[in-house]
């Protein structure tokens, strides 16, 4: 049979009348024959502890909400550099499901044709100050994309933010190509002008 019983509940404070959290503990006291004689009850004030727990729960809820709605891919790495937590954005970016990404190192997503010492440092946690790297990766479908990865140490692991910058890089490349073509056009027009001037002089004198 149960000899003790505990229950967390709210009480009204005697002086202020405000509700406070307490934990009521009740124990059975038996006589020499083993029969219940009386009960001993004790109430402990746990209002501050409950307030701290509620504040922590609210903070964790805000953190989870931020991570789940973050436009960047996010992952937490353990002390071995392996993914232990991630958001839906990273799942969508990589094309792998969550189960397939958990336990993997970031270097396993890298395009084998590319190598970057900074990514190796992130994956092996051999860095202290925040570290950033742009590196090509291969999605689950085999598509080559470029990711910008920012990492920062937390406790004995790290948190990592990933952003797909492939389209941005392609746009910059096209703009640079357009600028080069514009410069070539200006030079060609200048050369044509320089050629036309002597020809016009010669033709004028021939007339």
């Amino acid at each position: 049979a149960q000899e003790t019983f505990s229950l967390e509940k709210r009480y009204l404070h005697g002086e202020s009348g405000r509700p406070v959290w307490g934990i009521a503990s009740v124990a059975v006291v038996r006589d020499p024959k083993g029969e219940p004689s009386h009960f001993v009850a004790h109430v402990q004030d746990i209002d501050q502890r409950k307030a701290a727990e509620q504040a922590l729960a609210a903070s964790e809820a805000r953190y989870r909400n931020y991570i789940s709605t973050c436009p960047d891919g996010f992952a937490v790495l353990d002390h071995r550099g392996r993914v232990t937590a991630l958001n839906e954005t990273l799942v969508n970016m990589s094309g792998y499901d969550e189960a397939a990404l958990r336990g993997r190192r970031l270097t396993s997503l890298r395009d084998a044709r590319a190598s970057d010492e900074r990514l190796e440092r992130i994956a092996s946690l051999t860095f202290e100050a925040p570290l950033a790297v742009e590196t090509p990766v291969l999605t689950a479908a085999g598509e080559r994309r470029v990711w910008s990865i920012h990492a920062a140490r937390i406790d004995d692991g790290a948190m990592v933010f990933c952003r797909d910058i492939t389209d941005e890089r392609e746009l910059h490349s096209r703009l640079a190509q357009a600028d080069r073509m514009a410069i070539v056009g200006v030079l060609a027009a200048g050369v044509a002008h320089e050629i036309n001037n002597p020809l016009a002089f010669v033709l004028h004198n021939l007339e």
Side-chain angles (χ1 to χ4, degrees):
Q2 185 177 2
E3 296 291 322
T4 61
F5 175 78
S6 296
L7 173 67
E8 292 185 3
K9 59 177 293 185
R10 304 187 79 177
Y11 297 86
L12 290 179
H13 191 274
E15 295 181 0
S16 66
R18 68 180 181 85
V20 297
W21 279 97
I23 180 169
S25 300
V26 181
V28 178
V29 179
R30 298 182 178 275
D31 62 22
K33 295 181 180 180
E35 297 296 327
S37 171
H38 59 278
F39 296 90
V40 175
H42 172 258
V43 178
Q44 180 184 357
D45 184 347
I46 60 170
D47 200 52
Q48 291 186 351
R49 192 196 79 188
K50 293 294 289 187
E53 290 175 351
Q54 291 170 355
L56 178 60
S59 176
E60 290 177 343
R62 288 194 299 270
Y63 169 79
R64 287 192 297 269
N65 181 65
Y66 169 74
I67 294 305
S68 64
T69 59
C70 179
D72 293 331
F74 174 82
V76 174
L77 310 182
D78 64 12
H79 65 282
R80 299 174 302 167
R82 300 185 183 278
V83 175
T84 59
L86 64 156
N87 66 357
E88 188 68 21
T89 305
L90 188 60
V91 170
N92 295 333
M93 286 172 56
S94 66
Y96 293 95
D97 60 34
E98 184 174 341
L101 288 172
R102 286 182 181 273
R104 296 182 64 167
R105 301 182 72 182
L106 289 178
T107 47
S108 67
L109 300 176
R110 182 187 60 203
D111 187 339
R113 294 169 294 178
S115 178
D116 194 299
E117 177 265 342
R118 289 170 297 176
L119 185 62
E120 295 287 350
R121 290 174 59 193
I122 292 174
S124 60
L125 300 183
T126 54
F127 70 98
E128 294 299 330
L131 194 60
V133 60
E134 292 182 4
T135 186
V137 301
L138 288 179
T139 67
E143 183 182 7
R144 193 173 191 265
R145 308 290 293 179
V146 179
W147 286 8
S148 173
I149 300 175
H150 294 257
R153 294 297 302 268
I154 52 170
D155 300 326
D156 60 347
M159 61 178 180
V160 179
F161 289 89
C162 306
R163 177 174 297 179
D164 190 329
I165 59 171
T166 308
D167 295 339
E168 180 183 334
R169 286 289 171 267
E170 290 178 353
L171 176 60
H172 287 171
S173 178
R174 289 197 297 269
L175 289 175
Q177 179 67 18
D179 287 341
R180 287 193 293 271
M181 294 303 295
I183 292 173
V184 170
V186 171
L187 290 175
V191 170
H193 176 72
E194 294 300 325
I195 292 174
N196 287 334
N197 281 344
L199 286 174
F201 175 78
V202 171
L203 291 174
H204 175 74
N205 283 282
L206 286 176
E207 295 174 353

